[in-house]
Amino acid sequence: MANVAVLGCIWGDEAKAKIVDFLAAEADIVIRYQGGNNAGHTIVSNGKKYIFHLIPAGILYPDKICFLGNGVVIDLFALLAEMENLSDQGIDFHNRFFIDPRAGIVLPIHRQLDEAAENDSPAIKIGTTKRGIGPCYSDLTARVGIRFGDLFHLQILRQRLKRLYNYHKLSDYEIDDLAEALYLSAKPLAECRQQISYFLNRHQDKRILFEGAQGALLDLSFGTYPFVTSSHTTIGGITTGSGFSLRRLGRVVGVYKSYFTRVGEGPFPTELKNELGDIIREHGNEYGSTTGRPRRCGWFDAVAARYSAMLNDIDEIALTLLDVLSGLDSIRICTGYRMNETIITDFPDNSEILNQVTPIYEELKGWKDDITQISSYQALPVAAREYIGRLEELLDRKITIISVGPDREQTIVRQK
Ligand code: IMP
């Protein structure tokens, strides 16, 4: 297997974890390189449910090495809780779970700042997960952040916290207690410290899988700014978040949902604000796995999808949750936007414009059959195959993996 990237190509929640879990079978190392515990997913394996926020899904395989790269931001207490949870379910971390010392640390103050920005200023409400992700990345960018490696030196940690609190003009009365809590809590993770760039360079014979978090349309720069997350969710995040050269990447799998969803604020041209949207939400159990918020649902938007396929230079597509569309009389695909008299086929760079466009739709026949037990492409209903074929035409990429249910087995694989 070549080194592979699995990237979310819409606004996150594409059910990437299932695809990662599926492809990780052939990898040696699985890496998360951006984002933090704003991500969340559940994997069903052998009828057992596992919940992940930060730890790469590859940890479910006992022989895989898992890494959090330098581009990740870590809420230490949330990470320890997640590890404990998974350990209780029989997962062993010893000697196979590593964290780059440069990874950022999300502090309680970051969560407070996130919460305050969301609650106090409705004019710029982003609908964040309130996990402190944005404030943590801004502190790192402002060069006052705390990094994983700092947690193992009490004196340095105190100084860095002081600097950060001064920067925010906050009273530093709690710093000593916080420094001590972080220092003591981090101790069991001392053996996990490992510079990812050197590690990957020394293990060039190993097969790597990069597990993207969130999705391309939430990318800090390329996404629907300002309604985005604060990391680079597109392919470049791999290099800056792990020190791995993209020249060594052999395969890029873009993950798309069979319809679109979004949680949080921001433009969503094909959103269905009607009963049909509610039906899709209920069929797909479209509630955020981190915050429990109902996800906004809508039709597949080929303008946005072509854009994220281009940005990520994807080789092939994994199409998820196809079973959720079963039972609909017809299915729509957005092939362009109309703005006044103009037809737009390039994804706009401005959220204000995206808010004003009207989608141009193509309508296809739906299918009634339950497809959750189907294991080959040929056995899918004709209408489902026509839908897949049309998406392939519009995106100019082959759909090689089709997911028809949450279990590992409910996956149809086609030759590229
Ligand atoms: P933040 O990442 O918590 O700052 O949130 C910024 C935006 O990204 C909000 O719209 C969130 O709902 C969205 N977001 C962050 N992480 C995820 C995710 O894993 N799935 C879907 N949306 C996400």
Side-chain angles (χ1 to χ4, degrees), residues 11-13 38-40 114 126-134 213-214 218 227-230 262-265 290 293:
W11 284 292
D13 303 325
N38 46 350
D114 200 357
I126 306 293
T128 73
T129 59
K130 297 186 181 168
R131 295 295 187 270
I133 306 300
Q214 289 86 44
L218 286 173
F227 305 99
V228 292
T229 191
S230 299
R262 162 160 222 174
V263 62
E265 309 297 318
T290 298
R293 291 177 290 177

Side-chain angles (χ1 to χ4, degrees), residues 54 67-77 79-80 83 97-107 136 140 145-154 156-157 160 182-196:
L54 258 168
F67 234 115
L68 297 181
N70 55 290
V72 172
V73 290
I74 299 169
D75 180 326
L76 181 69
F77 304 111
L79 172 66
L80 291 167
M83 287 176 76
F97 177 55
F98 301 110
I99 303 173
D100 189 277
R102 294 176 176 83
I105 295 296
V106 181
L107 299 167
C136 177
L140 290 164
I146 307 291
R147 308 203 296 181
F148 182 63
D150 299 335
L151 304 183
F152 303 92
H153 310 279
L154 190 53
I156 295 177
L157 183 56
R160 301 244 150 105
L182 288 166
Y183 174 73
L184 292 176
S185 306
K187 269 193 168 171
L189 298 180
E191 65 163 40
C192 300
R193 262 177 308 170
Q194 184 82 246
Q195 289 201 52
I196 189 166

Side-chain angles (χ1 to χ4, degrees), residues 190-233:
E191 65 163 40
C192 300
R193 262 177 308 170
Q194 184 82 246
Q195 289 201 52
I196 189 166
S197 48
Y198 282 110
F199 185 92
L200 297 183
N201 194 48
R202 286 187 189 120
H203 293 89
Q204 295 209 13
D205 54 324
K206 302 278 187 220
R207 300 159 303 173
I208 308 169
L209 187 150
F210 291 92
E211 173 178 340
Q214 289 86 44
L217 304 180
L218 286 173
D219 184 276
L220 176 60
S221 180
F222 291 110
T224 48
Y225 191 88
F227 305 99
V228 292
T229 191
S230 299
S231 63
H232 290 289
T233 57

Side-chain angles (χ1 to χ4, degrees), residues 166-350:
N166 282 343
Y167 175 80
H168 286 287
K169 299 189 171 47
L170 289 168
S171 147
D172 58 6
Y173 75 93
E174 61 185 21
I175 283 179
D176 284 348
D177 286 350
L178 179 59
E180 197 141 321
L182 288 166
Y183 174 73
L184 292 176
S185 306
K187 269 193 168 171
L189 298 180
E191 65 163 40
C192 300
R193 262 177 308 170
Q194 184 82 246
Q195 289 201 52
I196 189 166
S197 48
Y198 282 110
F199 185 92
L200 297 183
N201 194 48
R202 286 187 189 120
H203 293 89
Q204 295 209 13
D205 54 324
K206 302 278 187 220
R207 300 159 303 173
I208 308 169
L209 187 150
F210 291 92
E211 173 178 340
Q214 289 86 44
L217 304 180
L218 286 173
D219 184 276
L220 176 60
S221 180
F222 291 110
T224 48
Y225 191 88
F227 305 99
V228 292
T229 191
S230 299
S231 63
H232 290 289
T233 57
T234 46
I235 195 161
I238 292 178
T239 290
T240 53
S242 72
F244 179 87
S245 165
L246 288 186
R247 298 198 312 184
R248 287 179 51 211
L249 204 57
R251 180 182 181 195
V252 183
V253 179
V255 188
Y256 291 86
K257 232 178 221 183
S258 304
Y259 47 94
F260 270 35
T261 61
R262 162 160 222 174
V263 62
E265 309 297 318
F268 183 173
T270 60
E271 181 173 10
L272 288 161
K273 292 182 185 165
N274 55 19
E275 201 188 334
L276 192 50
D278 297 340
I279 290 172
I280 293 176
R281 182 177 309 108
E282 292 315 310
H283 274 188
N285 190 25
E286 292 293 356
Y287 293 89
S289 35
T290 298
T291 57
R293 291 177 290 177
R295 294 183 187 133
R296 300 154 64 191
C297 300
W299 295 122
F300 193 98
D301 180 344
V303 179
R306 267 198 305 261
Y307 170 65
S308 56
M310 171 190 78
L311 283 174
N312 287 327
D313 196 10
I314 66 171
D315 296 309
E316 58 194 284
I317 294 170
L319 189 71
T320 58
L321 292 127
L322 187 65
D323 52 301
V324 172
L325 295 181
S326 298
L328 300 182
D329 292 329
S330 61
I331 297 175
R332 288 177 157 195
I333 304 174
C334 165
T335 55
Y337 303 142
R338 197 183 302 278
M339 171 106 172
N340 304 321
E341 294 312 306
T342 315
I343 291 181
I344 300 173
T345 50
D346 284 358
F347 194 68
D349 58 276
N350 193 315

